[in-house]
Amino acid sequence: MGRVRINGAKNSALKLMAAALLCDEPLVLTNMPDLADTRFMAHLLGHLGVEVERSDPAQMTLCARALGAPFAPYDLVRKMRATFNVLGPLLARHGQARVSLPGGCAIGARPVDLHLKALEAMGAQIRLEEGYAVAEAPKGLHGAQISFPFVSVGATEHAMLAAVLARGETVLDNAAREPEIADLAHCLIAMGAKIEGVGTARMVITGVSRLGGTTHAVVADRIEAGTYALAVAATSGDVLIENCVPGHLGALWDRMRAIGVQVEPQGDTCVRILQSQERCSAADMETQAYPGFPTDLQAQFMAVLCRAKGASIIRETIFENRFMHAPELSRLGADITVHGREAVVRGVSELHGAPVMATDLRASVSLVIAGLAAKGQTEVNRVYHLDRGFEGLERKLSALGADIERVSGAS
Ligand code: UD1
């Protein structure tokens, strides 16, 4: 049986790092993934005046003792959407901020209107000027009743990061319930924040006048764990995935069992994945906000279905343009037809290697999975997308028996 150890969650780490802006004492984050995205966020925070220290790759200490000008320039925000979440904490501490509107993966329009509305409800005055959000809260932020029209992970986190230091009570209704939200809440509570309803769709946050430092271990990356589980499903094998939270992936386990893969959670931190059939069965899947099937595992699941016995329908409900991997998978011989938000995957008995191009973070790893399942050699170009979210991917896959090598592109 192979074994693979999962890192802390990228999507959680980035928002936890933004939380360091909220206090003038050190925030020590452990179980940190060492990724291009966390390094990039550290760079932005450094620019804002945060002292960032990384003596060990899995630990980062951030201290916002003395902040500089609350200005996040385009060059430091455009590559990654999570950087936009510095706006709320900067406003809460400085009363003003100027933050470039974000970039990130090319998976649809991805606006930030809900983020801005939440901050406005808390008393911020925001204007959009030449690609920047210019925000002021001359009298400080105050509590507000915020009801999100639909679930947004980023907007929920952003509202939390501002509300913890706002005057009075903030109620967040229809809040996202992703494990990364609870992780952020637990860290903020350890820093002295008052948050009730963690893990539910209604959080009540009572602002405090100051927060202090703490040490917090980043929650396990459920997307990384799910990606390895799907790599096993695509290639056959028996792998123990360690240092994860199997309970965070219920929707994935349900779909994996539906296609005939054995999934055996072992305690609270491990899961064994067993795939003995040469080809799995077909099954339909729809992405949903947590606890539904994560949009960040859709591409990897599609890679598995390419060789299923029969046709499957995948429906992407979170992002309108998240099937860019489909034409690349077709280059390996997959039979996929995309109609708007739906993709029909007709399983083929064999995929064959080919050169392909990564288009976004999760799409790129789906090409790796399909390449491992294909006969012959696959060359994945633009692997820098992978480095944004998967630490040591080729090392971990090689240790599981994959024949994979980085031929160029910084790691
Ligand atoms: C989303 C995913 C998250 C994933 C991340 C990276 C969900 C609910 N969220 O988080 O799991 O890790 O992408 O792939 O699955 N939206 C607006 N206005 C806003 C904010 C969002 O219209 O101000 C829309 C988005 O375009 C999208 C939906 O709301 O269609 C959910 O977006 P949101 O959860 O905010 O995106 P991320 O935080 O990036």
Side-chain angles (χ1 to χ4, degrees):
M1 180 169 52
R3 286 167 184 264
V4 60
R5 191 179 160 80
I6 299 307
N7 285 99
K10 167 185 88 79
N11 286 344
S12 202
L14 298 173
K15 314 303 167 64
L16 291 166
M17 289 171 73
L21 288 166
L22 293 168
C23 74
D24 59 7
E25 291 176 5
L27 172 63
V28 182
L29 298 175
T30 62
N31 199 34
M32 273 292 279
D34 186 15
L35 300 167
D37 274 14
T38 48
R39 274 179 248 140
F40 195 72
M41 186 67 159
H43 189 54
L44 169 65
L45 292 173
H47 173 87
L48 293 169
V50 179
E51 294 162 37
V52 184
E53 197 189 290
R54 194 159 207 179
S55 43
D56 165 343
Q59 180 167 319
M60 190 182 276
T61 303
L62 303 113
C63 187
R65 214 180 318 268
L67 288 177
F71 172 55
Y74 173 67
D75 256 5
L76 297 183
V77 175
R78 73 186 158 86
K79 283 195 200 157
M80 197 176 79
R81 195 173 153 80
T83 46
F84 191 64
N85 281 42
V86 301
L87 178 62
L90 286 176
L91 254 185
R93 261 198 72 192
H94 269 284
Q96 52 163 315
R98 186 175 152 84
V99 175
S100 170
L101 294 165
C105 283
I107 52 175
R110 306 190 82 178
V112 287
D113 52 324
L114 300 184
H115 299 230
L116 300 179
K117 277 191 192 129
L119 295 175
E120 280 170 347
M122 287 185 237
Q125 293 160 6
I126 306 178
R127 50 181 207 282
L128 299 183
E129 224 176 68
E130 295 164 354
Y132 282 81
V134 183
E136 278 173 44
K139 294 186 198 140
L141 295 175
H142 55 72
Q145 175 85 37
I146 298 164
S147 186
F148 294 108
F150 48 87
V151 171
S152 162
V153 176
T156 302
E157 290 165 332
H158 210 157
M160 291 164 74
L161 286 166
V164 285
L165 284 183
R167 257 184 347 269
E169 187 179 276
T170 297
V171 180
L172 303 180
D173 267 315
N174 201 21
R177 290 178 288 156
E178 269 66 2
E180 295 75 29
I181 303 267
D183 198 36
L184 176 62
H186 290 136
C187 178
L188 291 169
I189 290 168
M191 291 167 76
K194 295 204 172 106
I195 308 178
E196 281 164 48
V198 176
T200 73
R202 183 184 170 90
M203 274 187 281
V204 180
I205 302 176
T206 309
V208 294
S209 56
R210 75 175 292 275
L211 294 173
T214 192
T215 297
H216 177 84
V218 181
V219 71
D221 196 323
R222 63 197 166 100
I223 304 306
E224 191 194 16
T227 298
Y228 285 104
L230 289 166
V232 178
T235 53
S236 304
D238 183 359
V239 168
L240 188 68
I241 303 178
E242 300 173 315
N243 198 35
C244 64
V245 184
H248 288 166
L249 284 162
L252 172 67
W253 306 149
D254 172 72
R255 291 296 79 196
M256 284 182 62
R257 288 182 178 125
I259 61 173
V261 181
Q262 257 174 277
V263 179
E264 296 172 5
Q266 300 192 346
D268 293 338
T269 58
C270 292
V271 61
R272 182 177 176 190
I273 308 292
L274 252 148
Q275 164 68 308
S276 44
Q277 318 161 71
E278 212 265 312
R279 291 174 70 192
C280 57
S281 323
D284 298 342
M285 180 276 275
E286 177 174 293
T287 61
Q288 286 292 347
Y290 189 82
F293 192 102
T295 175
D296 280 355
L297 288 172
Q298 179 256 106
Q300 298 89 315
F301 195 69
M302 182 184 279
V304 176
L305 293 178
C306 289
R307 286 190 61 244
K309 286 176 268 176
S312 314
I313 298 175
I314 294 184
R315 208 174 131 71
E316 171 58 59
T317 75
I318 309 291
F319 295 112
E320 74 278 11
N321 187 20
R322 207 176 191 177
F323 285 132
M324 284 169 313
H325 41 284
E328 296 300 311
L329 290 170
S330 301
R331 290 174 53 78
L332 301 175
D335 180 353
I336 306 169
T337 325
V338 174
H339 308 275
R341 285 177 176 242
E342 250 177 37
V344 180
V345 186
R346 292 184 184 80
V348 295
S349 59
E350 234 174 60
L351 296 175
H352 45 81
V356 288
M357 193 162 70
T359 50
D360 73 53
L361 167 55
R362 310 303 177 186
S364 56
V365 82
S366 78
L367 300 176
V368 172
I369 292 178
L372 291 175
K375 289 240 154 44
Q377 184 169 304
T378 295
E379 182 184 306
V380 182
N381 292 291
R382 298 197 180 166
V383 287
Y384 55 83
H385 286 292
L386 283 174
D387 297 327
R388 290 190 47 208
F390 295 95
E391 184 182 327
L393 182 80
E394 61 268 33
R395 171 177 49 80
K396 290 185 181 184
L397 284 173
S398 299
L400 294 175
D403 182 356
I404 180 169
E405 163 188 25
R406 182 184 294 257
V407 278
S408 68
S411 74

